[in-house]
Amino acid sequence: MGKSELLKLLVVDEVAENRTAIKKIFQNDYQIIEAENEQRAAEIINVDKIDVVLADLKFITHLKENRNISAIPLIAMADASDPEAGAAAIDSGAFEFITRPYNRIVVNYRVHNVMKHYEDARSVKIIREEQINELHKYIEIDSLTGLINRETFYKRAAALMQSNPDTKYYIIYLDISCFKAINDLFHIETGNLILRTAANYFRTAIPSQSGLCSRIEADHFVICIPQEKVNIERLIIGLDSTMQALGIGHNILFYAGIYPVNNPALPVDQMCDRANMALRKVKGNYMNRYSYYDAGMRELMLQDQMIVRDMETALQEDQFAIFLQPVYNIKNDTIVSAEALVRWFHPVNGMISPGKFIPVFERNGFIVKVDRFVWEEVCKFIKKQRDETGEVIPISVNVSRLNFYNLDLLEFLLGLLEKYELEPWMLKLEITESAYMDNSHQLMSIIRVFREEGFPVLMDDFGSGYSSLNMLKNLPVDVLKVDMAFVRELEESERAYMILKFIMNLARDLGMDVIVEGVETKKQLDYLANLGADKIQGYYFSKPLPVPDFKKLVEDSKNPA
Ligand code: C2E
Ligand code: CA
Ligand code: CA
């Protein structure tokens, strides 16, 4: 591809060295344009068509004021040493945030993600040509729905709330799940019809004397309304039945995030951000269709910040450790393997659960380092165990999907085996089911290579998501790992039984092993035994244990009292 056809990346940073670092990462993928300050950046944005902007944090707020930038993904950059930077970046309206010194993989991944997000939004085809958009900004109305547009909403909502200081308002952010799929599946006119119908519904439901409603982009609507004038539950139920009446034959579900305005002086776009933050909590959840922004979300954000601030130190100062949870063969009551699960012993906050920090690490890329640390600890353990007892218990490790962006993944694993004189069958790789959907083509070939090298591959959390059973036929893994929790959730035991039975049969036909995890009671165990399951992991046998305790368990199991 010639330089001229490349997408344009604008990097705004006063430090030439920082610009060069970015340039090095992206020079093959983007045409890089540099600006040393916000004035220069504005000049460039106003005349050139820029596809993505990476700007030092201090320029973000200013850049955001430029109307020409509203459709361009904006990524903030700051030093990793600044603990407030993450929050500041989000507050200032950047879409993403990366830290210096740049980690090539993380930076690449983030930019890739941002571009993908924007591309998705763009391919929601109802977004009109840029020029038409520009025009409508001036005439205040969204031509598709007749609702006011974003800028107008910001202006009028601020005025409305200021002129009624004694009234308590909600900002409600609404979004349709899977709108892109609907647009792909049906004709674009169907998408438009849905948006127009929703707009009509809002117009009727929101009295125009007291409230406001806007389509702020694509399939996103916002409402500003006095709290006493709206019943959220009813608003959504009404919306559902209106959508159903369209007879499209596809579930069109709206999700809502609500910010109860307690500080009317906050800029309205930030109120919308908060409502959107609340929305993210429920999006895709069938049972719960709306949620309120609360201080807890801020708490969570602060907790996440603590995690980000302390993670590097934690790794350097050995605050991470592995626990091992045994997998039993119930046919002969022996320990056949174990899963390594990471634990973080924080000097101030005590033990932090992986449920809290793993998702953060998966977002910022640090999981790659933690996973590698865990794998190495596991290799050390296997070697030591073999040296001491002459026996090997294979251990499975979790391989977060971010690892697959690293070209040296296989090399790293093979390096570990060599260093600790181990063989691949000793280290089993757990890859979560949802990863298979993500990037299936690339992932499938990597998995094939792993298996050719001799690493057993486990599909973790099988049954949790959209596992396409057909996919399994093309990509045999060695083991399906089924979580009892998924089964437990199905109240009717009849259905649960059928599903499990189906999985067991399928696995047998495809020559795969099955491990059921999360088994807590004798009743569950018997039930599973009846179905022919034999490999079990769960609290019923043992919680994840510190390494010395695990060793003892293995010893004791060999010499029963
Ligand atoms: P997972 O891979 O599905 O791990 C199984 C989780 O189930 C573990 O939670 C384990 O403690 C828990 N568990 C085991 N038996 C039972 C049971 O009988 N009942 C119940 N209710 N739970 C049971 P844990 O250790 O909190 O880990 C949570 C998740 O964090 C893991 O889910 C995994 O996705 C992730 N994780 C943990 N360690 C690592 C790691 O080193 N790397 C990566 N990438 N992810 C990790
Ligand atoms: Ca696992
Ligand atoms: Ca699992």
Side-chain angles (χ1 to χ4, degrees), residues 339-341 396-399 430-432 460-461 481 517 537:
E339 176 176 5
L341 295 153
S396 69
V397 294
N398 290 287
V399 182
E430 294 199 5
I431 302 168
T432 185
D460 202 358
D461 305 325
K481 203 161 177 189
E517 66 177 327
Q537 175 184 349

Side-chain angles (χ1 to χ4, degrees), residues 215-428:
R215 180 169 80 112
I216 62 170
E217 63 182 7
D219 57 335
H220 301 180
F221 294 84
V222 284
I223 292 170
C224 171
I225 188 163
Q227 298 187 3
E228 80 228 10
K229 292 260 161 75
V230 65
N231 175 323
I232 308 281
E233 190 84 32
R234 277 224 298 274
L235 185 79
I236 294 199
I237 290 173
L239 191 51
D240 280 354
S241 58
T242 308
M243 287 299 143
Q244 232 152 46
L246 284 176
I248 287 173
H250 189 281
N251 239 354
I252 302 152
L253 292 179
F254 271 84
Y255 289 87
I258 305 144
Y259 171 59
V261 179
N262 48 22
N263 170 12
L266 200 69
V268 178
D269 61 334
Q270 285 184 34
M271 296 182 185
C272 293
D273 285 349
R274 289 185 179 190
N276 195 7
M277 208 186 274
L279 169 72
R280 268 181 252 159
K281 217 174 94 178
V282 287
K283 191 150 187 217
N285 179 334
Y286 281 84
M287 307 310 286
N288 207 352
R289 303 269 299 284
Y290 61 90
S291 116
Y292 292 86
Y293 174 86
D294 61 37
M297 284 175 194
R298 222 188 134 65
E299 276 299 297
L300 275 184
M301 211 176 84
L302 291 175
Q303 185 190 50
D304 287 3
Q305 273 176 31
M306 178 278 286
I307 288 171
V308 174
R309 186 193 61 205
D310 295 350
M311 61 190 190
E312 291 281 359
T313 323
L315 199 56
Q316 282 155 23
E317 297 183 353
D318 262 340
Q319 294 169 16
F320 292 108
I322 57 164
F323 273 35
L324 295 170
Q325 186 179 31
V327 176
Y328 279 80
N329 182 341
I330 54 173
K331 292 246 161 77
N332 53 14
D333 220 14
T334 49
I335 296 173
V336 288
S337 64
E339 176 176 5
L341 295 153
V342 70
R343 295 290 178 264
W344 181 353
F345 297 91
H346 191 282
V348 179
N349 300 313
M351 183 156 110
I352 311 176
S353 125
K356 287 190 180 144
F357 61 82
I358 299 276
V360 179
F361 293 171
E362 282 180 337
R363 265 181 269 135
N364 68 15
F366 193 66
I367 190 66
V368 171
K369 286 194 189 171
V370 173
D371 276 353
R372 289 185 173 199
F373 166 82
V374 169
W375 305 341
E376 176 138 24
E377 288 300 297
V378 165
C379 289
K380 279 186 205 160
F381 168 79
I382 299 175
K383 177 175 162 56
K384 191 144 181 275
Q385 185 78 352
R386 184 181 55 190
D387 290 350
E388 286 170 11
T389 69
E391 282 176 32
V392 167
I393 302 171
I395 308 284
S396 69
V397 294
N398 290 287
V399 182
S400 174
R401 71 179 80 178
L402 223 57
N403 288 293
F404 299 108
Y405 291 88
N406 274 13
L407 297 176
D408 67 340
L409 174 60
L410 181 67
E411 210 178 303
F412 183 85
L413 284 166
L414 294 174
L416 282 180
L417 296 185
E418 199 180 305
K419 182 166 167 194
Y420 295 96
E421 301 166 320
L422 305 177
E423 289 160 41
W425 62 270
M426 302 170 181
L427 195 64
K428 310 205 238 184

